Amino acid sequence: QVQLVESGGGLVQAGGSLRLSCAASGRTFSLSRMGWFRQAPGQEREFVAAITWRSGSTSYANSVKGRFTISRDNAKNTVYLQMNSLKPEDTAVYYCALDSTVWSPFDYWGQGTQVTVSS
């Protein structure tokens, strides 16, 4: 089993910044990739960003490229999402997820953290 605990959400004005953190614990020795998703009210959950655990390769949704940065701390089993130039449309519940093995895409999820961007 793997546990994910997110933190760092909150209320911010448009143009502001927030940093989300997600710490993984438990059976993380085969951890392959971690990522962030978000879900706005009435909308489907969507991919935001991901990072591979060994090489640190990153990928982003087009809507956040150039504004959000995903990073990791392997020693702490923690992934971060630095969000800059926030827009009201970034308002959503943000979820952390991971691949517990290379054959298990995003099989563990955190409880979510609310990000609200006011205009």
Side-chain angles (χ1 to χ4, degrees), residues 38-104:
R38 66 186 182 186
Q39 187 168 21
Q43 298 187 20
E44 294 187 354
R45 190 174 298 186
E46 64 174 0
F47 170 78
V48 175
I51 186 165
T52 59
W53 212 242
R54 289 190 175 184
S55 68
S57 296
T58 59
S59 57
Y60 296 93
N62 287 335
S63 58
V64 306
K65 278 183 182 177
R67 300 189 298 122
F68 291 11
T69 302
I70 190 170
S71 61
R72 78 207 191 288
D73 184 329
N74 294 54
K76 296 181 179 179
N77 283 339
T78 298
V79 66
Y80 305 97
L81 186 67
Q82 178 66 42
M83 305 185 293
N84 299 328
S85 302
L86 282 161
K87 304 175 182 180
E89 51 263 44
D90 294 317
T91 295
V93 177
Y94 283 71
Y95 297 90
C96 171
L98 64 75
D99 303 345
S100 61
T101 74
V102 68
W103 303 282
S104 309

Side-chain angles (χ1 to χ4, degrees), residues 25-47:
S25 61
R27 296 174 60 85
T28 60
F29 52 84
S30 298
L31 179 57
S32 174
R33 177 182 57 168
M34 291 187 75
W36 291 94
F37 292 75
R38 66 186 182 186
Q39 187 168 21
Q43 298 187 20
E44 294 187 354
R45 190 174 298 186
E46 64 174 0
F47 170 78

